[in-house]
Amino acid sequence: MRVSIDEDGCVGAGQCVLAAPDVFDQRDEDGIVVLLDEAPAPHLHDATREAAVLCPALVIHLAE
């Protein structure tokens, strides 16, 4: 799995961090998503998929 994000479209809701904290974080100053791991380990795939589904701005893109 490869993960990419569109920072410009992020609204800072933080759903990704709640769903997959090992893959996503947020910048302290504005809450915009930070990608911690663009190729998460297999045991993180389900949480990463959940984060993509939960994202209200749909800025998380997965390639499997």
Side-chain angles (χ1 to χ4, degrees):
M1 170 184 286
R2 302 292 288 178
V3 181
S4 62
I5 56 172
D6 173 13
E7 283 186 17
D8 294 333
C10 179
V11 297
Q15 296 301 307
C16 57
V17 179
L18 294 173
D22 293 325
V23 181
F24 304 99
D25 200 357
Q26 289 178 284
R27 295 191 307 221
D28 289 335
E29 62 272 10
D30 58 9
I32 299 300
V33 65
V34 174
L35 182 59
L36 300 176
D37 189 352
E38 67 181 30
H43 73 277
L44 298 172
H45 289 187
D46 286 343
T48 304
R49 286 185 198 99
E50 180 181 2
V53 169
L54 292 173
C55 177
L58 304 175
V59 300
I60 300 170
H61 308 285
L62 306 179
E64 301 202 44

